[in-house]
Amino acid sequence: MTTRRLLVLLATQVLLWALVSGLNHELVRLRLFLFEGGLFVAYGALFLPFGTGLAAAFIAGLVCDAHSAVPFGTHALLFAAAQAVLFRLRDRMPHDTPAGLLAVVLLANAALFLALSVLEVHGGPFAMRRWGRLVSDLVGSQLALALIAPWFLALQAKALVLARAESTRQS
């Protein structure tokens, strides 16, 4: 059952990666980049056993790393760390309601975005110029996330049910 959960979760995450990558390709003209990392870690951390969620977050991070300008493994390690933190705090977070779940996903996404930004913009002559662009990317990412998160989280839950690998919501 755990392997099936992992495979279903990974399939939905690859779909998300493909959709966001395609959207970012189209948004290049507007000089906007969307980061939806919070969605790669939220469902596994909040509703699945620790090992399954951690494996899914780490592998999804490797998929994101494969097409990114950051050193390979950066997304994977950050996603794994975020998953571990969310899992540890999930009993203290209001993720049983749609609004609470969205708030958790938005906070996780912002934290991951800021962590990646700090790792990326670590000096250089144009470091201060980049922060304006990063703020606009964060605002755009959070708005897009607010629109797609309910759909994507429902997709993950429904995919698990259809594969007969539904989450038990227990650790």
Side-chain angles (χ1 to χ4, degrees), residues 18-37:
L19 292 173
V20 172
S21 294
L23 188 57
N24 278 330
H25 180 72
E26 294 299 320
L27 291 173
V28 165
R29 290 175 266 208
L30 300 175
R31 297 179 186 216
L32 184 63
F33 174 79
L34 298 181
F35 177 77
E36 307 303 326

Side-chain angles (χ1 to χ4, degrees), residues 81-101:
Q83 193 277 342
V85 169
L86 284 177
F87 182 85
R88 181 86 169 135
L89 297 175
R90 75 180 180 178
D91 293 333
R92 291 177 237 156
M93 292 186 288
H95 62 277
D96 291 336
T97 65
L101 182 57

Side-chain angles (χ1 to χ4, degrees), residues 142-154:
Q142 296 295 82
L143 290 173
L145 183 68
L147 291 174
I148 67 170
W151 165 79
F152 184 70
L153 294 168

